[in-house]
Amino acid sequence: MPLLVMKFGGTSVGDAAAIQAVAAITEAQRAAWGRVVLVVSAMSGVTDMLIRGATTAASGDKHTFRDLDRMLREKHAAALAELVPDDQERTAIDDQIARLIDEFSILCHSVAVLGELSPRAIDAISSLGERMSVRVVAAALRARGIPAEALDASEFVVTTAHFGDARPLQEVTRERTRARILPLLGRGIVPVITGFIGATEQGVTTTLGRGGSDYSGAIIGAALDADEVDIYTDVDGVMTTDPRLAPDARVIPVLSYAEMGELAYFGAKVLHPRTIRPIVERGIPLRVRNTFNPSHPGTLVVQDVESNGQTVKAVTAIRNLSLVTVEGRGMIGVPGVAARTFGAVASVGANVLMISQASSEQSICFVVPSSTIPQVTYALEHNLAMELARRDIDRIWAREDVAIVTAVGAGMRDTPGVAARVFGALADNHINVIAIAQGSSECSISTVVAAADCDAAVRAVHRLTGV
Ligand code: ADP
Ligand code: ASP
Ligand code: MG
């Protein structure tokens, strides 16, 4: 029997009305597919509230988390009151949620006493939102007559111990997920699984990073060999650019995995950047759809897409970045400078988003998040001290406040002059391009611009889409 994994984001479970829409979609898709699995985010705003409780507690504030405690209780109770008419069932779920919120306050209290917040503690606290929402959603499904069971992914999504950015361990995750989920499906039950979270082999809770529920959907879909993974959100699909930035953004009907991967990697918030990876390996189709407009077909993401002659399909941006330049005439022909440069950056755990090197070999530029600049500069100066002393490297410097604007489209590969059109559009709008990179997949072109020019640059390149 075919299997559909559906992931519902924060807004899709944001209140009772949204959860009713989720229940209606579940009912319809279960009838159509036979077997469905739900992966669910925390109710919208909840993860932010949990993290705020933790960070304010760390600075010694013992009041904010208590206010948040009350707000969290009210938010979940209000949804339950509308969704679950049976008193006994509602009280039982209310109790489970109350215990999770107690845990929040106890953890925040300890953080306040210690005055210290470790990544591990942040994960323990921020994972509570999904643990609450799955219980509400499963109860809402049961109230509608659909057998459903809430499950914590920490039982079977096994990850590395990189708190806040954990990676799944594929083999054990596959084994345990199948062992836990397939019997439920066999009994006609709809599993409602927490997105965003996992646990180490030792059972310590981890998270996959902000927005990570999409990734959970893909991990679970791959583990179960699903026939399709649907990401339900609050827009009709993947659009030509962020609709908040360009109101004329349009839904893209079909994208390839490679194009979707580039879009997500270069900042399209609609999908967590790692989502594509687990499903590409198994060739599982992915769809992005709107919970609030379920008849819209959304965006289908598959292996191969026939070119429709469009070159630039979409535009994305990443903000809050800095461009680091390592320059010096003595770098010419000296082997290993690039290796040591990136070794230094990696040693402080900074993520390099883009690299460009002038062919003269007199400089290497790369882009990293601005938050990592102090550590990156220190590590570079330390690792390249000898070259600096010898004046093989003259200067290591960072330009803060830049953004990467990326044009994505597989058609670029076979069409000459796309780069010229992108740069032309930027020049026409008086936007200065600081650096350029083209991915080897040739399905994207990235430009670095000043942060102040970012929105205008996105709109300028967006005018090239669909042409
Ligand atoms: P969810 O909570 O469902 O995961 P997110 O807020 O994480 O939803 O992602 C959906 C949002 O992503 C949309 O509401 C939209 O504002 C934003 N977005 C940014 N870029 C794009 C894009 N290219 N296509 C669609 N949505 C985008
Ligand atoms: N609830 C988590 C977050 O807000 C994960 C997600 O929604 O995807 O980041
Ligand atoms: Mg999201």
Side-chain angles (χ1 to χ4, degrees):
M1 205 189 286
L3 170 64
L4 174 67
V5 171
M6 293 185 281
K7 176 263 173 176
F8 290 94
T11 1
S12 301
V13 295
D15 57 23
I19 296 173
Q20 292 288 19
V22 169
I25 291 168
T26 305
E27 194 164 45
Q29 296 288 40
R30 187 164 174 257
W33 289 75
R35 299 187 301 167
V36 297
V37 170
L38 267 55
V39 176
V40 172
S41 288
M43 292 178 78
S44 56
V46 166
T47 310
D48 287 337
M49 287 162 80
L50 295 168
I51 292 173
R52 189 149 57 89
T55 50
T56 52
S59 63
D61 167 0
K62 288 188 185 164
H63 301 287
T64 304
F65 74 81
R66 296 204 195 285
D67 294 340
L68 291 164
D69 174 302
R70 188 175 34 77
M71 287 157 68
L72 288 166
R73 283 179 210 272
E74 282 165 9
K75 190 175 176 79
H76 290 87
L80 271 181
E82 273 189 61
L83 293 165
V84 186
D86 183 88
D87 284 340
Q88 218 179 338
E89 162 92 335
R90 194 177 55 250
T91 312
I93 306 296
D94 230 0
D95 282 352
Q96 291 176 18
I97 288 171
R99 278 201 295 278
L100 291 165
I101 299 176
D102 291 345
E103 202 176 321
F104 164 71
S105 283
I106 293 166
L107 286 167
C108 286
H109 183 78
S110 321
V111 167
V113 171
L114 293 170
E116 192 181 83
L117 181 60
S118 64
R120 177 173 165 161
I122 297 189
D123 276 7
I125 293 170
S126 63
S127 72
L128 293 166
E130 273 72 10
R131 293 188 207 271
M132 295 192 271
S133 67
V134 286
R135 287 164 170 82
V136 178
V137 171
L141 293 178
R142 290 193 296 268
R144 214 186 160 95
I146 305 168
E149 190 172 321
L151 297 165
D152 287 356
S154 46
E155 275 187 59
F156 45 84
V157 172
V158 184
T159 71
T160 60
H162 294 93
F163 297 103
D165 188 27
R167 309 287 167 87
L169 304 176
Q170 222 177 339
E171 281 313 309
V172 258
T173 296
R174 181 177 169 85
E175 215 174 282
R176 288 196 202 167
T177 304
R178 298 178 74 84
R180 185 72 175 94
I181 304 301
L182 294 177
L184 294 176
L185 291 171
R187 281 158 44 209
I189 294 170
V190 177
V192 182
I193 306 171
T194 56
F196 185 48
I197 71 181
T200 63
E201 295 254 36
Q202 289 72 36
V204 182
T205 299
T206 54
T207 69
L208 307 175
R210 293 307 306 269
S213 293
D214 301 325
Y215 191 23
S216 303
I219 293 166
I220 290 163
L224 296 173
D225 293 327
D227 295 279
E228 186 174 306
V229 173
D230 286 3
I231 305 288
Y232 275 92
T233 182
D234 56 2
V235 285
D236 283 339
V238 180
M239 305 180 89
T240 46
T241 193
D242 186 341
R244 290 165 298 187
L245 211 65
D248 55 342
R250 305 170 308 278
V251 175
I252 306 168
V254 192
L255 283 169
S256 68
Y257 290 136
E259 289 171 325
M260 188 67 242
E262 296 286 284
L263 271 168
Y265 179 82
F266 284 110
K269 194 200 168 203
V270 66
L271 216 62
H272 183 277
R274 282 199 263 273
T275 310
I276 291 298
R277 236 177 271 175
I279 58 164
V280 170
E281 286 166 16
R282 294 183 183 271
I284 301 170
L286 178 115
R287 224 181 260 280
V288 178
R289 310 188 65 169
N290 191 346
T291 303
F292 308 100
N293 187 15
S295 61
H296 195 291
T299 299
L300 177 65
V301 185
V302 286
Q303 180 65 50
D304 293 309
V305 178
E306 253 177 63
S307 172
N308 60 357
Q310 275 179 21
T311 47
V312 179
K313 277 199 183 170
V315 189
T316 57
I318 313 181
R319 294 171 179 75
N320 303 319
L321 303 175
S322 295
L323 180 74
V324 180
T325 304
V326 177
E327 66 185 15
R329 267 178 288 275
M331 286 167 70
I332 302 176
V334 179
V337 173
R340 292 237 301 293
T341 300
F342 293 112
V345 179
S347 71
V348 296
N351 184 19
V352 177
L353 290 143
M354 190 183 123
I355 303 170
S356 89
Q357 179 173 27
S359 59
S360 68
E361 286 190 41
Q362 290 194 16
S363 71
I364 303 173
C365 305
F366 55 91
V367 179
V368 290
S370 293
S371 57
T372 62
I373 280 295
Q375 301 94 294
V376 166
T377 335
Y378 175 80
L380 285 171
E381 283 167 358
H382 188 73
N383 275 35
L384 299 170
M386 211 161 60
E387 285 78 1
L388 282 161
R390 276 202 236 113
R391 302 296 308 268
D392 285 343
I393 291 175
D394 298 321
R395 206 153 76 109
I396 297 171
W397 57 288
R399 172 169 180 164
E400 304 204 22
D401 290 328
V402 302
I404 297 180
V405 173
T406 304
V408 178
M412 292 179 182
R413 199 168 16 220
D414 327 299
T415 317
V418 181
R421 277 169 54 220
V422 169
F423 299 125
L426 294 171
D428 289 348
N429 288 275
H430 312 289
I431 295 159
N432 181 36
V433 175
I434 303 168
I436 312 166
Q438 177 164 22
S440 60
S441 68
E442 282 190 46
C443 93
S444 71
I445 296 172
S446 290
T447 59
V448 178
V449 299
D453 288 335
C454 180
D455 291 2
V458 169
R459 288 193 204 100
V461 180
H462 185 243
R463 281 180 217 117
L464 302 176
T465 60
V467 181

